[in-house]
């Protein structure tokens, strides 16, 4: 259990460390306005202008004294109301979009077909498609048409720039989350006065789709590929400006709606134009030219809320909610949700202000030239959502079974659905919501009745903390004393020639428990007897591989009785050891060799050396940082001579040939007398030397003279063996100092 817990803790920290996608970047506070050069962006939208084969250049066409390219940059990047600013505001600064441009020699990209080729057939458009099959294929051709134009422009050396080409960006800036995909592409076709009819779902309709035909070579084998894109056709005959900005923009209704699809949001109207959400989301029926904000459910789906900004209600009571779009603190709650078992739905609640003093994108009067004001009631907006659906879609829904629905009101536009002061909504027979106070940006409501009881789940209990529920973020359960998520190696000690080292203990920094005890590191080899210092061990690194410090050109005996192994030492640390090879053959640890630290000491065992042929060999000590090699020679020394026989006790003991100790006795080893006499007839003696006389055939008398032993025919074999045993016993007792008269 302890090992499993440690593993998952480290995984979460990494995901958290690596996961830099836009939906996980959380910087709370009010959204800052987009700037012309968004230096802190985490999402790039690549804009390409495209004209059809029968059309002229248009990016420098002037409307109200401003070029098309600058109008588009105002609309996406720099104006008071823009696509980038809208999503920066809706996400509370979590999504920071910057739109960049790809031009072909400073202009738009030329497509290979005429505009009418991608529209339906008519008397005014004889080149249009006639069947649904032709329509589907030409929609595919349109994707490959502009994709090929982008690839060609890049191959011709056109860079990624800002709208007027004064600043250049890297192609890698198109992939902010580094997943190998361009974050988003917006294809803007030339506006036209041609008499071509475009219907919903036609190839030239404003929509979001997928095309992976754009490929950019980043070098080093890395490729950047397109994925989701949006295509739009703008109208420049009517432009809009905020009174405090004076930067003309196109209508943002379609660009903002389609960009929402890029992030995963779905349509909240259905194919019959029934709109159970209507004014309460830009993904429903957006207000033109600048749409209202997104619903709290959609913000949750995009990861733009957390446990402090969207809370779960499980008990009746009074709750305060901050105005949507104006949250400034880290704990400002902008929404609530509660499970309704009776309906099998989740109730979402948020405070929306559509008056002139409301939040930036919700207020009806945005002080825009050429725009109209919509009369929408402000207050607490209540939604019912199907549970367990992240991105709700009403496209194929119907009354009574909507994925997301605004409750209350009598108008089909939901313009009167919000609950004002003292207004109530009977959600079910058992659940009622009432607004009790509205003070500035804070609304208070009372909720009464039965709600789904919350069951804590998720999270991880550790050695010092309880698990935190993934839903409500409250602690629950018990502390797990075996789960240590934050570990540190402590007590490491380098070995020296005088003292052993220590690998250190693995310690939990939360509770200071020792999770894994360290190990002793062997002392470093002692300085050689000749007084020469140990060779300096060069640091091991990828540019400085390990070297062989000892053992090169050594001579070793293959006779197991003449050596205790051959020692080789690599400068690499023992912890980095991968394998040991002799003559390219991988050896088996503890069978062919042993390994010890200091730095890496390899000892070839005698049993392994005995199997090597005489002559030159090579050894390779392979480590993670490189390989240290050495050559050595194997020689065949004669086997050591067997020990000399011990004379009988009655014979005079010859003088010692070796050294003598202080008492004058010999310090040489004397052979075991038992090993000089065989145990049974015809068998080898105890020491394994079968050349000695067979004691069943030959004995010595007391004077040491050989006498012939009777054969088994004269005495039975048992009697002879008994006599042999008695004779051996006598000699042993005499040797041990007992009387020779035994």
């Amino acid at each position: 259990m302890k090992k499993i817990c440690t593993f998952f803790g480290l995984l979460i920290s990494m995901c958290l460390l690596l996961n830099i996608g836009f939906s996980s970047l959380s910087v709370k506070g009010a959204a800052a306005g987009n700037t012309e050069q968004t230096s802190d962006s985490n999402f790039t939208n690549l804009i390409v202008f495209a004209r059809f084969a029968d059309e002229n250049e248009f990016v420098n066409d002037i409307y109200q004294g401003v070029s098309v390219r600058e109008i588009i940059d105002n609309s996406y990047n720099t104006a008071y109301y823009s696509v980038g600013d809208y999503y920066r505001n809706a996400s509370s600064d979590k999504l920071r979009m910057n739109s960049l441009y790809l031009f072909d020699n400073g202009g738009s990209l030329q497509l290979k077909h005429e505009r009418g080729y991608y529209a339906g057939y008519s008397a005014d458009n004889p080149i249009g498609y006639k069947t649904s099959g032709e329509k589907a294929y030409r929609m595919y051709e349109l994707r490959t048409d502009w994709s090929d134009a982008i690839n060609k422009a890049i191959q011709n050396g056109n860079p990624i720039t800002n709208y007027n080409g004064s600043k250049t960006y890297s192609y890698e800036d198109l992939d902010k989350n580094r997943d190998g995909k361009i974050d988003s592409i917006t294809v803007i076709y030339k506006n036209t006065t041609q008499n071509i009819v475009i219907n919903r779902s036609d190839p030239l309709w404003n929509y979001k789709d997928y095309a992976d035909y754009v490929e950019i070579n980043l070098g080093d084998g890395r490729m950047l590929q397109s994925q989701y894109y949006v295509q739009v056709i703008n109208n420049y005959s009517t432009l809009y400006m905020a009174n405090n900005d004076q930067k003309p923009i196109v209508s943002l209704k379609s660009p903002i709606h389609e960009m929402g699809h890029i992030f995963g949001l779905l349509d909240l109207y259905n194919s019959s134009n029934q709109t159970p959400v209507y004014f309460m989301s830009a993904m429903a029926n957006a207000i033109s030219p600048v749409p209202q904000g997104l619903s709290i459910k959609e913000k949750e789906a995009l990861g733009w809320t957390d446990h402090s900004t969207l809370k779960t209600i499980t008990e009746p009571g009074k709750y305060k909610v901050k105005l949507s779009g104006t949250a400034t603190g880290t704990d400002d709650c902008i929404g609530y949700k509660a499970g309704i078992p009776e309906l099998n739905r989740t109730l979402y609640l948020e405070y929306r202000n559509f008056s002139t003093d409301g939040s930036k994108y919700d207020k009806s009067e945005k002080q825009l030239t050429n725009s109209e004001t919509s009369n929408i009631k402000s207050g607490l907006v209540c939604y019912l959502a199907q549970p367990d659906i992240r991105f709700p879609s009403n496209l194929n829904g119907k009354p009574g079974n909507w994925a997301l629905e605004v409750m209350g009101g009598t108008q089909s536009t939901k313009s009167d659905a919000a609950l004002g002061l003292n207004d109530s909504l009977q959600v079910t027979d058992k659940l009622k919501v009432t607004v009790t106070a509205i003070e500035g940006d804070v609304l208070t409501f009372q909720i009464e009745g039965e709600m789904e009881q919350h069951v804590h789940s998720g999270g991880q209990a550790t050695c010092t903390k309880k698990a935190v529920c993934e839903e409500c973020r409250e602690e629950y359960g018990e502390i797990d004393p075996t789960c240590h998520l934050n570990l540190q190696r402590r007590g490491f000690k380098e070995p020296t020639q005088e003292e052993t080292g220590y690998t250190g203990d693995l310690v939990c920094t939360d509770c200071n428990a020792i999770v894994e005890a360290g190990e002793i590191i062997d002392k470093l080899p002692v300085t050689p007897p000749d007084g020469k210092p140990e060779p300096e061990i060069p640091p091991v690194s990828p540019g400085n591989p390990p070297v062989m410090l000892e053992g090169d050109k050594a001579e070793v005996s293959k006779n197991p009785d003449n050596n205790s192994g051959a020692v080789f030492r690599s400068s690499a640390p023992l912890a980095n050891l991968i394998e040991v090879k002799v003559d390219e053959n991988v050896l088996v640890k503890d069978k062919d060799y042993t390994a010890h630290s200091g730095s890496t000491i390899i000892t070839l065992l005698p049993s392994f050396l005995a199997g090597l042929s005489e002559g030159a060999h090579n050894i390779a000590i392979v480590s993670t940082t490189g390989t240290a090699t050495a050559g050595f020679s194997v020689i065949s020394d004669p086997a050591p001579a067997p020990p000399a026989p011990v004379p009988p006790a009655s014979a005079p003991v010859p003088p010692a040939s070796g050294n003598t100790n202080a008492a004058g006795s010999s310090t040489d080893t004397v052979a075991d007398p038992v090993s000089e006499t065989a145990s049974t007839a015809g068998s080898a003696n105890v020491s394994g030397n079968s050349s000695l006389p067979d004691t069943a055939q030959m004995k010595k008398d007391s004077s040491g003279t050989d006498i012939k032993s009777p054969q088994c025919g004269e005495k039975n074999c048992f009697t002879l063996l008994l006599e042999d045993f008695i004779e051996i016993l006598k000699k042993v007792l005499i040797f041990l100092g007992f009387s020779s008269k035994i």
Side-chain angles (χ1 to χ4, degrees), residues 217-328:
N217 189 346
L218 300 178
D220 300 327
R222 296 177 299 137
M223 296 296 295
L224 186 58
Q225 195 172 29
S226 60
Q227 50 172 346
Y228 297 112
Y229 72 93
V230 163
Q231 65 174 37
V232 293
I233 300 174
N234 296 306
N235 176 17
Y236 304 99
S237 60
T238 302
L239 300 178
Y240 309 89
M241 287 189 297
N243 294 343
N244 58 348
D245 186 44
Q246 301 302 308
K247 287 188 175 183
I249 61 174
V250 297
S251 172
L252 301 181
K253 176 180 178 179
S254 289
I256 288 176
H257 178 94
E258 300 304 335
M259 187 60 66
H261 288 315
I262 290 285
F263 303 136
L265 298 178
L266 302 176
D267 291 317
L268 295 178
Y269 52 80
N270 77 347
S271 54
S272 302
N273 285 324
Q274 292 177 300
T275 53
V277 177
Y278 215 95
F279 280 151
M280 300 306 164
S281 171
M283 302 308 295
N285 288 67
I287 299 174
S288 181
V290 178
Q292 63 278 22
L294 299 173
S295 68
I296 187 66
K297 168 61 179 175
E298 292 167 296
K299 292 179 182 179
E300 178 191 36
L302 292 169
W304 295 344
T305 62
D306 56 28
H307 67 280
S308 62
T309 56
L310 177 60
K311 297 182 178 180
T312 301
I313 298 176
T314 59
E315 299 292 339
K318 283 189 176 182
Y319 297 89
K320 294 181 181 295
V321 61
K322 188 86 172 185
L323 177 63
S324 177
T326 62
T328 57

Side-chain angles (χ1 to χ4, degrees), residues 582-639:
V582 169
D583 300 332
E584 298 303 317
N585 296 316
V586 179
L587 307 190
V588 179
K589 189 175 183 293
D590 296 329
K591 176 184 177 184
D592 301 328
Y593 72 93
T594 60
H596 299 280
S597 60
S599 296
T600 298
I601 300 175
I602 300 298
T603 302
L604 300 182
L605 297 176
S607 58
F608 171 77
L609 294 172
L612 294 178
S613 61
E614 293 182 49
H617 296 271
N618 61 77
I619 182 172
I621 301 177
V622 184
S623 301
T624 57
T625 52
T627 302
T629 61
F632 66 97
S633 300
V634 174
I635 60 176
S636 180
D637 291 339

Side-chain angles (χ1 to χ4, degrees), residues 75 156 168 230 324 350 465 556:
S75 303
N156 290 339
T168 299
V230 163
S324 177
E350 65 174 336
K465 295 180 179 179
V556 297

Side-chain angles (χ1 to χ4, degrees), residues 16 28 120 142 146 212 271 277 325 337 394 434 458 464 472 521 539 577 656 674 706 718 726 735:
L16 290 175
K28 294 183 182 177
L142 181 57
W146 60 256
D212 56 2
S271 54
V277 177
K337 62 180 180 178
N394 288 331
T434 303
T464 59
C472 69
I521 305 175
L577 179 64
V674 177
D706 290 338
F718 175 79
I726 293 173
F735 178 78

Side-chain angles (χ1 to χ4, degrees), residues 435-447:
V435 175
T436 59
I438 301 178
E439 299 174 352
D441 291 343
V442 178
L443 180 148
T444 304
F445 64 91
Q446 174 85 32
I447 187 167

Side-chain angles (χ1 to χ4, degrees), residues 424-443:
S424 296
L425 174 67
Q426 196 72 40
V427 180
T428 69
D429 292 340
K430 301 178 181 179
L431 186 66
K432 181 180 179 180
V433 177
T434 303
V435 175
T436 59
I438 301 178
E439 299 174 352
D441 291 343
V442 178
L443 180 148

